[in-house]
């Protein structure tokens, strides 16, 4: 069976793996991204680690998932905020030049969406929206078995739809984006601001510094009955439900797949999101739209990149 190498490049870690065309991971390696070393030095390490996994006769392609902005057609990375110095670098050509097989590039959230679509929760559908809920909120939209790339690979940014016009400032510069309201970073920031304004919470006795407060701690405190935590957590899930209702109304996918660390905290996240979607997405048959957990777990980055390599220009 043909083999594919998947390379998942993030601002804190890089994961590389070799899988067969059914997405069975045979071997993989993970290492931290030392962004201070710059592009050339990190590229060399990626090439060295990839060489160890590369089987000359069986590996047919290499897929790469990387934080954007990027140009997937030209194979270039365009100054992502989490990879300083990667300014218009020809990543695809640099890797193709060494291994001499087809190399394909996709933004990491779109790659993860493809991974879940081909190897995970979305295996049996043709129309799927994937959302990852962790420090940020990313995603990808697949319609009729194809990713929506949009102009300059900017499509599918589900986390940057406006939910509250005058809401908190988002990293993208807009106000009230879903990411600013319902991501791990957003939830913790909203919680800290409420504490600073004089609200009380059991969480202050759990941590030494407010900076230690995370979405997980807030979810735990909400479960323990802390009223401020419950208020902040519930409103984050409420806004998430609204965001998903908007997407469902526009796209009407067969399935919405939710991944990322936040989906593991509140047990009732899926129940509450489904309830809100049922209330708000009035013109779509919501009972026929599945809202389900992602299946690939920590391998979603590598297997997403593998899907990119496997599908090549057909994605
Ligand atoms: Zn935003």
């Amino acid at each position: 069976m043909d083999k594919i190498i998947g390379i998942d490049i993030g601002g804190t870690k890089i994961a590389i793996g070799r899988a067969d065309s059914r997405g069975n991971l045979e071997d993989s390696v993970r290492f931290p991204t030392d962004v201070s070393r710059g592009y050339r030095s990190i590229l060399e390490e990626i090439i060295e680690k990839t060489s160890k996994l590369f089987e000359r006769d069986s590996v047919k392609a290499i897929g790469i998932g990387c934080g954007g902005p990027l140009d997937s057609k030209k194979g270039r990375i365009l100054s992502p905020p989490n990879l300083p110095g990667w300014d218009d670098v020809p990543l695809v050509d640099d890797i193709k030049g060494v291994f001499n097989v087809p190399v394909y590039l996709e933004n990491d959230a779109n790659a993860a969406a493809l991974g879940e679509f081909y190897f995970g929760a979305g295996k049996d559908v043709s129309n799927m929206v994937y959302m990852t809920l962790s420090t940020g909120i990313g995603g990808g939209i697949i319609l009729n078995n194809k990713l929506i790339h949009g102009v300059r690979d900017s499509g599918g940014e589900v986390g940057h739809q406006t939910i509250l016009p005058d809401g908190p400032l988002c990293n993208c510069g807009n106000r009230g984006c879903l990411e600013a309201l319902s991501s791990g970073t957003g939830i913790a920031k909203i919680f800290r601001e409420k504490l600073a304004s004089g609200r009380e919470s059991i969480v202050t006795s759990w941590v030494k510094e407010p900076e230690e407060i995370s979405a997980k701690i807030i979810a735990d405190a909400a479960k323990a009955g802390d009223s401020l935590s419950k208020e902040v957590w519930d409103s984050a899930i409420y806004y998430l439900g609204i965001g998903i209702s908007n997407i469902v109304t526009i796209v009407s996918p067969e399935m919405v797949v939710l991944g990322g660390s936040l989906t593991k905290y509140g047990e009732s996240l899926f129940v509450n999101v489904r309830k809100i979607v049922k209330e708000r997405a009035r013109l779509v048959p919501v009972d026929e739209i599945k809202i389900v957990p992602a299946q690939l777990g920590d391998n979603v980055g590598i297997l997403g990149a593998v899907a990119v390599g496997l599908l090549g220009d057909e994605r």
Side-chain angles (χ1 to χ4, degrees):
M1 198 184 286
D2 291 350
K3 309 285 170 68
I4 310 287
I5 297 270
I7 304 175
D8 174 35
I9 303 172
T12 55
K13 68 169 176 51
I14 295 170
I16 306 175
R18 187 186 65 242
D20 66 22
S21 52
R22 294 202 187 100
N24 299 305
L25 200 56
E26 296 176 336
D27 199 358
S28 64
V29 58
R30 286 160 210 265
F31 52 96
T33 315
D34 181 1
V35 290
S36 67
R37 286 162 45 199
Y39 174 65
R40 279 286 144 201
S41 168
I42 295 173
L43 175 69
E44 274 169 32
E45 190 170 8
I46 290 170
I47 288 170
E48 185 216 315
K49 297 275 182 9
T50 302
S51 302
K52 290 185 179 142
L53 296 169
F54 195 83
E55 292 173 344
R56 183 64 53 194
D57 296 326
S58 59
V59 171
K60 298 299 178 206
I62 296 174
I64 306 170
C66 184
L70 51 77
D71 185 328
S72 65
K73 288 210 173 62
K74 289 185 180 146
R76 300 179 84 93
I77 309 293
L78 307 171
S79 312
N82 62 351
L83 294 167
W86 293 42
D87 303 326
D88 197 13
V89 293
L91 179 64
V92 163
D93 283 348
D94 285 341
I95 291 184
K96 203 190 290 181
V98 176
F99 297 101
N100 209 20
V101 292
V103 179
Y104 302 98
L105 172 68
E106 191 61 72
N107 102 32
D108 48 6
N110 278 348
L114 277 182
E116 283 292 340
F117 184 68
Y118 275 87
F119 304 131
K123 266 193 300 235
D124 299 323
V125 300
S126 301
N127 301 285
M128 186 198 100
V129 175
Y130 170 77
M131 290 175 78
T132 172
L133 316 168
S134 58
T135 52
I137 295 182
I141 299 172
I142 292 160
L143 281 184
N144 300 322
N145 303 305
K146 294 248 184 190
L147 257 180
I148 296 205
H149 285 95
V151 177
R152 287 207 228 167
D153 292 286
S154 61
E157 287 288 359
V158 290
H160 297 279
Q161 53 176 311
T162 301
I163 302 288
L164 271 186
D166 301 313
L169 195 62
C170 182
N171 284 330
C172 74
N174 182 33
R175 280 196 176 275
C177 285
L178 181 61
E179 177 167 297
L181 295 163
S182 305
S183 68
T185 316
I187 292 170
K189 195 170 163 218
I190 290 167
F191 189 86
R192 278 195 290 267
E193 281 168 7
K194 296 213 184 257
L195 281 183
S197 73
R199 296 287 303 274
E200 286 179 4
S201 163
I202 192 177
V203 166
T204 51
S205 66
W206 293 1
V207 297
K208 288 197 194 79
E209 301 288 336
E211 280 65 40
E212 292 169 36
I213 297 170
S214 64
K216 178 171 192 326
I217 289 175
I218 295 164
D220 287 345
K223 257 186 250 169
D226 180 61
S227 70
L228 180 61
S229 298
K230 193 164 167 11
E231 178 188 314
V232 170
W233 181 264
D234 287 352
S235 69
I237 300 309
Y238 175 64
Y239 293 132
L240 175 65
I242 292 176
I244 295 175
S245 304
N246 294 342
I247 298 164
V248 162
T249 297
I250 294 164
V251 177
S252 190
E254 293 159 80
M255 183 180 275
V256 177
V257 178
L258 305 181
S261 55
L262 251 61
T263 59
K264 299 193 180 76
Y265 303 157
E267 284 153 25
S268 50
L269 184 144
F270 283 89
V271 175
N272 290 335
V273 164
R274 285 188 196 109
K275 193 166 149 256
I276 297 162
V277 171
K278 206 171 165 64
E279 284 165 9
R280 290 189 177 262
R282 294 287 181 146
L283 299 181
V284 287
V286 288
D287 291 336
E288 293 170 37
I289 296 172
K290 298 185 185 81
I291 301 176
V292 300
Q295 288 180 358
L296 301 182
D298 292 341
N299 286 330
V300 69
I302 293 180
L303 289 177
V306 167
V308 170
L310 182 68
L311 294 160
D313 292 327
E314 299 300 310
R315 72 190 191 273

